Amino acid sequence: MFSSIAAAAPAKQSVGDTITVLSGRLGSATLLEDRRAAILGLRSFAKDYPASVASGALRSLIGTLSADGEDVDTVRVVLETLLMLFSPNQDSPEASEEIALWLADEFTQRQENITLLLDFLETTDFYSRLYSLQLLVAILAARTERLEECVSLAPLGIPRLVAVLEDRRDAIRNEALTLLTYLTPDSSLIQQSVAYQNAFERTFAIIDTEGSLSEGGRTVEDCLIFLANLLRLNPPNQSLFRESGCVVQLAKLLENTYHAGKEEEEVAAWAQEQQNRNVYALLAVIRLFLVSGAVGTSQNQLAFWQHGVLYHALQLAFSHKTEMPIRAEALTTCADTIRGNARLQENFAQLQVPSVLEIAQPTNGQTSPSGGVPPIYVIDGLLDLVLSVPSTQAFDLRLAACQCIKAYFYNHPEVRMHFLRRAIDGHASGADETANVLTTLLRPTSTPGANDPYRHWFAATIVFHLLFENSEGKTLAMSVTEGDAESGEEVVTSIQTITAHLVTALGRGEDDRVSVGYLMLLIGWLFEDMDGVNDFLGEGSHVQSLAQEIIRHPPGSPLVQGLCAMILGVIYEFSTKDSPIPRSTLHSVVLSRVGREKYIDALNKLRGHDLMRDFEVTLQKADGSGNLPDVYFDATFVEFFKDNYSRIARAMDRDPGMEISVVTNGVQKGISRELVDSLRTQIDEKEQALQTALSDVASLNGKFGQEQADHRRSKEASIADLARLKSVNEAIQRSHEEDLKKLKADQQTQVDAHKKQLEAAQREAAAAAKALRAEHETKEAELQRQIDYVRKTAEAEAARVQRRAEAEMADLKATISRLEVDLMKAKKAKTQEIEAVREELNTKLSAETSKLKTAEKRATDLEKQLSTKQKEIGESQTRLKEKEEQQSTTQTELDDLLMVFGDLEDKVEKYKTRLQALGESISDGEEDDDEDEDDEDEDEESGVD
């Protein structure tokens, strides 16, 4: 029977088929219960088969969140399934990191998916809120930048996340804190958006709710990490933090860490560890405000001073109940608070702290801030920590105290000199001041460095910072001496004393930290201090001892040998010929005892040593093993060494005769090597310029002689040309005078010819008149006989006379044209004054025109005479009289013409005189033109006759 039932049972379904069926049911089901059942089935496979579930049902699951978002149970199951897909079982065959990336991409590729998860934060359901936050954390871990962008773009995305911090359910609040912590490390935009949603106040409220630093757990630490994310390198958020009054909250938290009203009970180790972590995180947050050189650091320092943060950090650092790492971090925080702020540096020394060397005294049941330990001023307390606490476990605390002392006088000359004077006065008083840095260096104990090598190292480091680049401090420190001259003791300067202790430490083989401390101090002191170098060279054996240390066999520490080489280089670099050991002698001693190769090799080994080369990346702290830490150098000295390594390495290559100058307190000491080189260069340049100038002068002299010869030749040629021009001018003048004489003779000849022509014309006129009378007499006899003939021929005679008149008019017009052409030629050839002659010729033309008119009038008169003869024969006598009148008129015209010719000759003479005065010459052509004009005048007169 059972076998038949087994045979009738359906075949087993594989996992893949089951997931496919469930995925299909989720996508096609119409009832909410069916979809929820499919999701529950998928959830059971999500841990072991995440790839199969995600590939078949991921989008359906996300769609269900949107479609069935109001059903709390369905949303819870879907979110649980999605979270399982993000964190599958590690032994699952489908487990892979790529699945998380795939899931995150599916959510972040569509903005509405992230907005959907943020919408669940507004619900009151516990699981909807919690799982949505956890899912966002998982997506953020896979696709950080994309989720940051989606959250920023989502409506009220940041405000809704920050609002969850006020949820009273710890799980939801802590998950929101975790999400915000992961969301804010890098994006300054998100940091500011979160801060402006009252994130600071809400975070401090959580810390207070969790029991503050002393009683709070991991949540308090997360809150402080979250604050650190918001404040790191973000000046706007730091400013908002100050303006929101949150600095007071920091002061209260610090105060609660060390101040207790009653004796504390025993605390479990894990609780104490968490408390230390919380305090350490708080101090780290405070230090974020104090980054050197950052914007707003000075305002932050003043705010911490005003609200007591600095005071409470000091009390925490000097509290005997606080563990060493916390105290060291608190002192480092104090150092950052006062560094570079003159006002705080000046007020810092007035603060009081519990003594580190005293134990608590009974207080009869009363409590005090110092826990019954007598208070001392903070500088004394810091010096006690540095110099009087020999414990190796307290190294970090001592190093932090040393940093705090250096920050006290950092970049403040007045405070630095005040500290140095106090140390000198305390040393000179002879009182038992174990915490005096000068006393520690100048009067060490009988076994220096045996138990605590860092005592001398810290003292040397502090004095190094007091004197580094401080010429006034170096001078003041050199005035400190050891020994009483009045008691017969030898007076030894401070430099020689420190050098003697260095040589002693090298000889005894003491810890290298002691020698390194002394060497750092001496190098920083002697650099650019010629007086200090001379003081050092006052004891010549010290140079021999340092040189011996470099070449010792077996070789010593490369750190010590390198520093010994460097101090020898510094001494030689700033020595002079007037030093106790002259510069040339020192050069020969170093090269003969050490050698240039060994000197360079020692410096190279020091520079290449791990502790020097990797100083910036090496943690300068104790390693917790109980052994002395590998801390040998100060940060300022390391920077100084790296900056001046090349200069000191080349120091021995410089000629001993070339010294370098140093300006100290405005006074130049020594001879400037650069100045000498500059002067030599200038001399060479001037010699070259002089040689160039001399060659230029020689060249100019040759050119000048050549130009003088050329000038003489040109002068002689000019004189010859002038003589030739004078002879030519005289010949021209003689020729001109002869031409004038010839012209006057020709004019006189023309005048005589004109007179002869006039007389001939008069004779011809008289003969014509006589012939006219005879003709008249003959015609008078024959008049009657010829009346008929005259009557017949009168018209023909009139026509003939008219033609003759026309011919005369044509001749006159031709003459006028010829005269106009001649005038055109004269206009081109002659100057402006000749134009006046042309005007007069035009006047003459007008006269000729008048003569033409007179001739026409005569023709008219003849016509009238003919008509009169026809009418009255008896009027012949009257006609004779009219002929006489015509003769007299002609005589008058001839006289007028003579007068015109006379005026023309006068004007021609005037024009010639003016032309000669103007420098114009009279050519023969012009005389020919004058003759032609005279001929034309004669022709015209002949025509008139």
Side-chain angles (χ1 to χ4, degrees), residues 324-388:
M324 290 293 183
I326 301 301
R327 296 173 65 184
E329 187 68 16
L331 280 179
T332 303
T333 304
C334 294
D336 292 341
T337 304
I338 65 173
R339 183 179 290 110
N341 193 308
R343 176 182 172 186
L344 269 61
Q345 288 170 322
E346 294 167 2
N347 294 325
F348 178 71
Q350 306 302 320
L351 298 178
Q352 291 186 338
V353 293
S355 173
V356 296
L357 303 179
E358 300 290 340
I359 60 175
Q361 301 294 330
T363 57
N364 299 324
Q366 299 179 356
T367 61
S368 65
S370 59
V373 179
I376 59 174
Y377 286 105
V378 61
I379 301 301
D380 296 333
L382 291 172
L383 288 172
D384 288 338
L385 272 178
V386 172
L387 303 177
S388 302

Side-chain angles (χ1 to χ4, degrees), residues 392-431:
T392 305
Q393 289 74 18
F395 173 79
D396 291 343
L397 178 60
R398 298 172 69 187
L399 183 63
C402 182
Q403 296 292 338
C404 197
I405 292 174
K406 291 187 289 187
Y408 167 59
F409 51 74
Y410 171 78
N411 204 22
H412 198 309
E414 290 78 6
V415 174
R416 182 191 294 189
M417 294 304 298
H418 171 74
F419 188 97
L420 181 59
R421 290 190 182 95
R422 287 289 304 273
I424 293 174
D425 294 342
H427 174 72
S429 65

Side-chain angles (χ1 to χ4, degrees), residues 723-734:
R724 183 173 56 81
L725 290 174
K726 285 183 179 180
S727 61
V728 171
N729 189 22
E730 291 175 356
I732 292 173
Q733 288 180 354
R734 288 194 300 270

Side-chain angles (χ1 to χ4, degrees), residues 46 48 57 122 210 228 234 236 248 277 285 352 372 436 448 506 519 530 581 671-672 793 858 904:
D48 295 325
E122 297 182 349
E210 291 293 318
N234 198 318
V248 178
R277 291 171 61 89
V285 170
Q352 291 186 338
N436 189 304
L506 293 174
L519 286 167
M530 293 184 174
I581 300 178
I671 300 174
S672 173
T793 60
R858 287 176 58 193
L904 286 173

Side-chain angles (χ1 to χ4, degrees), residues 682-846:
Q682 292 178 10
I683 290 173
D684 293 339
E685 292 176 353
K686 292 192 183 228
E687 287 180 353
Q688 294 177 1
L690 179 60
Q691 294 298 328
T692 303
L694 291 175
S695 61
D696 292 341
V697 168
S699 176
L700 290 174
N701 287 334
K703 291 181 179 179
F704 181 69
Q706 183 66 30
E707 289 179 357
Q708 282 183 336
D710 294 341
H711 178 66
R712 284 196 299 270
R713 286 194 295 270
S714 62
K715 185 176 181 181
E716 292 172 357
S718 299
I719 293 173
D721 292 339
L722 181 60
R724 183 173 56 81
L725 290 174
K726 285 183 179 180
S727 61
V728 171
N729 189 22
E730 291 175 356
I732 292 173
Q733 288 180 354
R734 288 194 300 270
S735 176
H736 184 61
E737 290 176 356
E738 292 175 357
D739 292 339
L740 287 177
K741 290 178 182 180
K742 184 178 179 182
L743 181 60
K744 289 180 180 179
D746 292 341
Q747 287 178 352
Q748 187 64 36
T749 304
Q750 290 178 2
V751 171
D752 294 341
H754 288 164
K755 288 182 180 179
K756 290 179 182 180
Q757 291 176 0
L758 181 58
E759 292 174 357
Q762 288 177 352
R763 285 193 301 271
E764 289 177 358
K770 185 177 180 181
L772 187 58
R773 286 193 194 94
E775 183 183 359
H776 177 69
E777 289 176 353
T778 302
K779 287 183 179 181
E780 186 177 4
E782 296 177 356
L783 185 58
Q784 188 63 37
R785 181 176 57 78
Q786 294 178 351
I787 289 175
D788 294 334
Y789 178 77
V790 170
R791 187 179 292 120
K792 292 179 181 179
T793 60
E795 294 177 0
E797 182 69 18
R800 184 179 63 79
V801 171
Q802 186 175 1
R803 285 195 299 274
R804 184 182 297 172
E806 290 176 356
E808 291 178 356
M809 289 179 64
D811 293 335
L812 290 173
K813 289 181 178 180
T815 302
I816 291 171
S817 299
R818 182 171 57 79
L819 291 173
E820 288 178 351
V821 172
D822 294 336
L823 286 174
M824 291 290 289
K825 292 180 180 180
K827 182 177 179 181
K828 293 180 181 179
K830 297 181 180 180
T831 59
Q832 184 178 2
E833 286 78 7
I834 303 304
E835 291 182 1
V837 177
R838 188 184 67 181
E839 292 178 358
E840 293 183 2
L841 290 176
N842 288 333
T843 304
K844 186 170 117 175
L845 178 61
S846 298

